[in-house]
PDB file of all heavy atoms in Angstrom:
ATOM      1  N   GLY A 230      -1.029 -19.581  16.015  1.00 93.00           N
ATOM      2  CA  GLY A 230      -0.161 -19.832  17.049  1.00 93.00           C
ATOM      3  C   GLY A 230      -0.869 -20.549  18.344  1.00 93.00           C
ATOM      4  O   GLY A 230      -0.466 -20.258  19.420  1.00 93.00           O
ATOM      5  N   GLY A 231      -1.874 -21.123  18.076  1.00 92.00           N
ATOM      6  CA  GLY A 231      -2.632 -21.973  19.129  1.00 92.00           C
ATOM      7  C   GLY A 231      -3.756 -20.989  19.778  1.00 92.00           C
ATOM      8  O   GLY A 231      -4.392 -21.523  20.598  1.00 92.00           O
ATOM      9  N   GLN A 232      -3.861 -19.823  19.378  1.00 92.00           N
ATOM     10  CA  GLN A 232      -4.840 -18.900  19.853  1.00 92.00           C
ATOM     11  C   GLN A 232      -6.089 -18.884  18.890  1.00 92.00           C
ATOM     12  O   GLN A 232      -5.865 -18.531  17.780  1.00 92.00           O
ATOM     13  CB  GLN A 232      -4.314 -17.473  19.984  1.00 92.00           C
ATOM     14  CG  GLN A 232      -3.125 -17.481  21.134  1.00 92.00           C
ATOM     15  CD  GLN A 232      -3.046 -16.089  21.785  1.00 92.00           C
ATOM     16  OE1 GLN A 232      -3.989 -15.324  21.692  1.00 92.00           O
ATOM     17  NE2 GLN A 232      -1.766 -15.739  22.274  1.00 92.00           N
ATOM     18  N   PRO A 233      -7.313 -19.227  19.450  1.00 94.00           N
ATOM     19  CA  PRO A 233      -8.495 -19.246  18.590  1.00 94.00           C
ATOM     20  C   PRO A 233      -8.855 -17.956  17.998  1.00 94.00           C
ATOM     21  O   PRO A 233      -8.442 -16.958  18.620  1.00 94.00           O
ATOM     22  CB  PRO A 233      -9.525 -19.640  19.643  1.00 94.00           C
ATOM     23  CG  PRO A 233      -8.863 -20.264  20.723  1.00 94.00           C
ATOM     24  CD  PRO A 233      -7.523 -19.642  20.726  1.00 94.00           C
ATOM     25  N   ILE A 234      -9.324 -17.892  16.757  1.00 92.00           N
ATOM     26  CA  ILE A 234      -9.569 -16.712  15.977  1.00 92.00           C
ATOM     27  C   ILE A 234     -11.065 -16.809  15.439  1.00 92.00           C
ATOM     28  O   ILE A 234     -11.506 -17.881  15.243  1.00 92.00           O
ATOM     29  CB  ILE A 234      -8.649 -16.420  14.832  1.00 92.00           C
ATOM     30  CG1 ILE A 234      -8.678 -17.603  13.797  1.00 92.00           C
ATOM     31  CG2 ILE A 234      -7.329 -16.219  15.419  1.00 92.00           C
ATOM     32  CD1 ILE A 234      -7.835 -17.331  12.593  1.00 92.00           C
ATOM     33  N   GLN A 235     -11.640 -15.645  15.139  1.00 93.00           N
ATOM     34  CA  GLN A 235     -12.915 -15.768  14.411  1.00 93.00           C
ATOM     35  C   GLN A 235     -12.768 -16.214  12.958  1.00 93.00           C
ATOM     36  O   GLN A 235     -11.776 -15.915  12.273  1.00 93.00           O
ATOM     37  CB  GLN A 235     -13.421 -14.366  14.188  1.00 93.00           C
ATOM     38  CG  GLN A 235     -13.788 -13.783  15.680  1.00 93.00           C
ATOM     39  CD  GLN A 235     -14.318 -12.259  15.464  1.00 93.00           C
ATOM     40  OE1 GLN A 235     -15.131 -12.051  14.573  1.00 93.00           O
ATOM     41  NE2 GLN A 235     -13.947 -11.442  16.376  1.00 93.00           N
ATOM     42  N   GLN A 236     -13.504 -17.141  12.613  1.00 91.00           N
ATOM     43  CA  GLN A 236     -13.450 -17.674  11.224  1.00 91.00           C
ATOM     44  C   GLN A 236     -14.477 -17.400  10.267  1.00 91.00           C
ATOM     45  O   GLN A 236     -15.068 -18.182   9.567  1.00 91.00           O
ATOM     46  CB  GLN A 236     -13.469 -19.338  11.436  1.00 91.00           C
ATOM     47  CG  GLN A 236     -12.089 -19.897  11.891  1.00 91.00           C
ATOM     48  CD  GLN A 236     -12.137 -21.372  11.887  1.00 91.00           C
ATOM     49  OE1 GLN A 236     -12.627 -22.057  12.732  1.00 91.00           O
ATOM     50  NE2 GLN A 236     -11.488 -21.982  10.874  1.00 91.00           N
ATOM     51  N   ASN A 237     -14.834 -16.042  10.252  1.00 91.00           N
ATOM     52  CA  ASN A 237     -15.835 -15.688   9.289  1.00 91.00           C
ATOM     53  C   ASN A 237     -15.297 -15.002   7.983  1.00 91.00           C
ATOM     54  O   ASN A 237     -16.099 -14.510   7.128  1.00 91.00           O
ATOM     55  CB  ASN A 237     -16.668 -14.645   9.977  1.00 91.00           C
ATOM     56  CG  ASN A 237     -15.926 -13.435  10.597  1.00 91.00           C
ATOM     57  OD1 ASN A 237     -14.771 -13.222  10.142  1.00 91.00           O
ATOM     58  ND2 ASN A 237     -16.506 -12.663  11.459  1.00 91.00           N
ATOM     59  N   GLY A 238     -14.013 -15.055   7.848  1.00 93.00           N
ATOM     60  CA  GLY A 238     -13.451 -14.502   6.545  1.00 93.00           C
ATOM     61  C   GLY A 238     -13.287 -12.950   6.517  1.00 93.00           C
ATOM     62  O   GLY A 238     -12.879 -12.510   5.566  1.00 93.00           O
ATOM     63  N   TYR A 239     -13.762 -12.273   7.647  1.00 95.00           N
ATOM     64  CA  TYR A 239     -13.803 -10.849   7.722  1.00 95.00           C
ATOM     65  C   TYR A 239     -12.390 -10.362   8.261  1.00 95.00           C
ATOM     66  O   TYR A 239     -11.695 -11.048   9.043  1.00 95.00           O
ATOM     67  CB  TYR A 239     -14.909 -10.208   8.419  1.00 95.00           C
ATOM     68  CG  TYR A 239     -16.271 -10.389   7.902  1.00 95.00           C
ATOM     69  CD1 TYR A 239     -17.349 -10.842   8.509  1.00 95.00           C
ATOM     70  CD2 TYR A 239     -16.374 -10.162   6.389  1.00 95.00           C
ATOM     71  CE1 TYR A 239     -18.629 -10.930   8.014  1.00 95.00           C
ATOM     72  CE2 TYR A 239     -17.708 -10.265   5.805  1.00 95.00           C
ATOM     73  CZ  TYR A 239     -18.829 -10.619   6.585  1.00 95.00           C
ATOM     74  OH  TYR A 239     -19.889 -10.653   6.029  1.00 95.00           O
ATOM     75  N   ILE A 240     -12.024  -9.103   8.044  1.00 95.00           N
ATOM     76  CA  ILE A 240     -10.844  -8.554   8.652  1.00 95.00           C
ATOM     77  C   ILE A 240     -11.230  -8.356  10.147  1.00 95.00           C
ATOM     78  O   ILE A 240     -12.273  -7.752  10.517  1.00 95.00           O
ATOM     79  CB  ILE A 240     -10.595  -7.101   7.995  1.00 95.00           C
ATOM     80  CG1 ILE A 240     -10.177  -7.362   6.464  1.00 95.00           C
ATOM     81  CG2 ILE A 240      -9.352  -6.528   8.749  1.00 95.00           C
ATOM     82  CD1 ILE A 240     -10.156  -5.959   5.731  1.00 95.00           C
ATOM     83  N   VAL A 241     -10.270  -8.673  11.001  1.00 94.00           N
ATOM     84  CA  VAL A 241     -10.514  -8.531  12.472  1.00 94.00           C
ATOM     85  C   VAL A 241      -9.218  -7.799  13.018  1.00 94.00           C
ATOM     86  O   VAL A 241      -8.076  -8.194  12.736  1.00 94.00           O
ATOM     87  CB  VAL A 241     -10.515  -9.978  13.214  1.00 94.00           C
ATOM     88  CG1 VAL A 241     -10.744  -9.816  14.687  1.00 94.00           C
ATOM     89  CG2 VAL A 241     -11.720 -10.677  12.697  1.00 94.00           C
ATOM     90  N   GLN A 242      -9.384  -6.734  13.659  1.00 93.00           N
ATOM     91  CA  GLN A 242      -8.341  -5.787  14.141  1.00 93.00           C
ATOM     92  C   GLN A 242      -8.483  -5.469  15.598  1.00 93.00           C
ATOM     93  O   GLN A 242      -9.522  -5.088  16.138  1.00 93.00           O
ATOM     94  CB  GLN A 242      -8.238  -4.556  13.325  1.00 93.00           C
ATOM     95  CG  GLN A 242      -7.260  -3.594  13.799  1.00 93.00           C
ATOM     96  CD  GLN A 242      -7.096  -2.476  12.850  1.00 93.00           C
ATOM     97  OE1 GLN A 242      -6.112  -2.468  11.966  1.00 93.00           O
ATOM     98  NE2 GLN A 242      -7.995  -1.402  12.934  1.00 93.00           N
ATOM     99  N   ASN A 243      -7.322  -5.628  16.333  1.00 94.00           N
ATOM    100  CA  ASN A 243      -7.368  -5.053  17.707  1.00 94.00           C
ATOM    101  C   ASN A 243      -6.646  -3.654  17.465  1.00 94.00           C
ATOM    102  O   ASN A 243      -5.481  -3.491  17.519  1.00 94.00           O
ATOM    103  CB  ASN A 243      -6.459  -5.851  18.551  1.00 94.00           C
ATOM    104  CG  ASN A 243      -6.299  -5.387  19.940  1.00 94.00           C
ATOM    105  OD1 ASN A 243      -6.475  -4.178  20.267  1.00 94.00           O
ATOM    106  ND2 ASN A 243      -6.155  -6.318  20.906  1.00 94.00           N
ATOM    107  N   GLY A 244      -7.540  -2.667  17.300  1.00 92.00           N
ATOM    108  CA  GLY A 244      -7.010  -1.329  16.945  1.00 92.00           C
ATOM    109  C   GLY A 244      -6.031  -0.777  17.821  1.00 92.00           C
ATOM    110  O   GLY A 244      -5.004  -0.142  17.532  1.00 92.00           O
ATOM    111  N   ARG A 245      -6.252  -0.984  19.080  1.00 95.00           N
ATOM    112  CA  ARG A 245      -5.475  -0.321  20.190  1.00 95.00           C
ATOM    113  C   ARG A 245      -4.092  -0.938  20.116  1.00 95.00           C
ATOM    114  O   ARG A 245      -3.006  -0.239  20.123  1.00 95.00           O
ATOM    115  CB  ARG A 245      -5.962  -0.616  21.568  1.00 95.00           C
ATOM    116  CG  ARG A 245      -5.345   0.119  22.710  1.00 95.00           C
ATOM    117  CD  ARG A 245      -5.910  -0.306  24.135  1.00 95.00           C
ATOM    118  NE  ARG A 245      -7.263   0.135  24.141  1.00 95.00           N
ATOM    119  CZ  ARG A 245      -7.707   1.250  24.543  1.00 95.00           C
ATOM    120  NH1 ARG A 245      -6.951   2.176  24.854  1.00 95.00           N
ATOM    121  NH2 ARG A 245      -9.153   1.442  24.510  1.00 95.00           N
ATOM    122  N   GLU A 246      -3.937  -2.271  19.980  1.00 96.00           N
ATOM    123  CA  GLU A 246      -2.722  -2.860  19.867  1.00 96.00           C
ATOM    124  C   GLU A 246      -1.928  -2.537  18.565  1.00 96.00           C
ATOM    125  O   GLU A 246      -0.599  -2.331  18.537  1.00 96.00           O
ATOM    126  CB  GLU A 246      -2.772  -4.318  20.020  1.00 96.00           C
ATOM    127  CG  GLU A 246      -3.128  -4.854  21.428  1.00 96.00           C
ATOM    128  CD  GLU A 246      -2.084  -4.574  22.426  1.00 96.00           C
ATOM    129  OE1 GLU A 246      -0.926  -4.398  22.069  1.00 96.00           O
ATOM    130  OE2 GLU A 246      -2.483  -4.242  23.567  1.00 96.00           O
ATOM    131  N   VAL A 247      -2.621  -2.430  17.546  1.00 96.00           N
ATOM    132  CA  VAL A 247      -1.991  -2.172  16.234  1.00 96.00           C
ATOM    133  C   VAL A 247      -1.438  -0.762  16.109  1.00 96.00           C
ATOM    134  O   VAL A 247      -0.352  -0.406  15.719  1.00 96.00           O
ATOM    135  CB  VAL A 247      -2.966  -2.370  15.058  1.00 96.00           C
ATOM    136  CG1 VAL A 247      -2.471  -1.817  13.745  1.00 96.00           C
ATOM    137  CG2 VAL A 247      -3.367  -3.786  14.883  1.00 96.00           C
ATOM    138  N   TYR A 248      -2.261   0.178  16.680  1.00 96.00           N
ATOM    139  CA  TYR A 248      -1.770   1.495  17.020  1.00 96.00           C
ATOM    140  C   TYR A 248      -0.511   1.688  17.790  1.00 96.00           C
ATOM    141  O   TYR A 248       0.404   2.283  17.363  1.00 96.00           O
ATOM    142  CB  TYR A 248      -2.954   2.296  17.667  1.00 96.00           C
ATOM    143  CG  TYR A 248      -2.552   3.785  17.772  1.00 96.00           C
ATOM    144  CD1 TYR A 248      -2.803   4.731  16.891  1.00 96.00           C
ATOM    145  CD2 TYR A 248      -1.931   4.240  19.043  1.00 96.00           C
ATOM    146  CE1 TYR A 248      -2.547   6.042  17.063  1.00 96.00           C
ATOM    147  CE2 TYR A 248      -1.556   5.545  19.137  1.00 96.00           C
ATOM    148  CZ  TYR A 248      -1.809   6.530  18.176  1.00 96.00           C
ATOM    149  OH  TYR A 248      -1.458   7.816  18.390  1.00 96.00           O
ATOM    150  N   ARG A 249      -0.512   1.031  18.974  1.00 97.00           N
ATOM    151  CA  ARG A 249       0.711   0.947  19.883  1.00 97.00           C
ATOM    152  C   ARG A 249       1.881   0.503  18.961  1.00 97.00           C
ATOM    153  O   ARG A 249       2.974   1.076  19.125  1.00 97.00           O
ATOM    154  CB  ARG A 249       0.498   0.212  20.921  1.00 97.00           C
ATOM    155  CG  ARG A 249       1.578   0.150  21.915  1.00 97.00           C
ATOM    156  CD  ARG A 249       1.305  -0.561  23.197  1.00 97.00           C
ATOM    157  NE  ARG A 249       0.140  -0.052  24.068  1.00 97.00           N
ATOM    158  CZ  ARG A 249      -1.092  -0.676  24.262  1.00 97.00           C
ATOM    159  NH1 ARG A 249      -1.269  -1.816  23.830  1.00 97.00           N
ATOM    160  NH2 ARG A 249      -1.979  -0.058  24.989  1.00 97.00           N
ATOM    161  N   TRP A 250       1.766  -0.562  18.344  1.00 97.00           N
ATOM    162  CA  TRP A 250       2.851  -1.189  17.562  1.00 97.00           C
ATOM    163  C   TRP A 250       3.310  -0.221  16.518  1.00 97.00           C
ATOM    164  O   TRP A 250       4.566  -0.042  16.342  1.00 97.00           O
ATOM    165  CB  TRP A 250       2.452  -2.479  16.988  1.00 97.00           C
ATOM    166  CG  TRP A 250       3.388  -3.018  15.801  1.00 97.00           C
ATOM    167  CD1 TRP A 250       4.480  -3.653  16.043  1.00 97.00           C
ATOM    168  CD2 TRP A 250       3.277  -3.028  14.413  1.00 97.00           C
ATOM    169  NE1 TRP A 250       5.127  -3.949  14.831  1.00 97.00           N
ATOM    170  CE2 TRP A 250       4.339  -3.587  13.878  1.00 97.00           C
ATOM    171  CE3 TRP A 250       2.225  -2.511  13.611  1.00 97.00           C
ATOM    172  CZ2 TRP A 250       4.480  -3.609  12.473  1.00 97.00           C
ATOM    173  CZ3 TRP A 250       2.302  -2.489  12.210  1.00 97.00           C
ATOM    174  CH2 TRP A 250       3.536  -3.110  11.652  1.00 97.00           C
ATOM    175  N   ALA A 251       2.374   0.337  15.680  1.00 98.00           N
ATOM    176  CA  ALA A 251       2.904   1.146  14.640  1.00 98.00           C
ATOM    177  C   ALA A 251       3.456   2.490  15.073  1.00 98.00           C
ATOM    178  O   ALA A 251       4.657   2.867  14.540  1.00 98.00           O
ATOM    179  CB  ALA A 251       1.630   1.609  13.794  1.00 98.00           C
ATOM    180  N   VAL A 252       3.061   3.118  16.082  1.00 98.00           N
ATOM    181  CA  VAL A 252       3.732   4.422  16.490  1.00 98.00           C
ATOM    182  C   VAL A 252       4.909   4.161  17.227  1.00 98.00           C
ATOM    183  O   VAL A 252       5.827   5.100  17.371  1.00 98.00           O
ATOM    184  CB  VAL A 252       2.664   5.312  17.318  1.00 98.00           C
ATOM    185  CG1 VAL A 252       1.496   5.579  16.467  1.00 98.00           C
ATOM    186  CG2 VAL A 252       2.263   4.561  18.555  1.00 98.00           C
TER     187      VAL A 252
END
Side-chain angles (χ1 to χ4, degrees):
Q232 299 204 20
I234 60 173
Q235 297 180 38
Q236 285 188 278
N237 55 17
Y239 290 136
I240 299 166
V241 178
Q242 175 175 259
N243 182 332
R245 188 182 302 273
E246 289 298 327
V247 172
Y248 178 91
R249 183 181 294 117
W250 166 76
V252 301

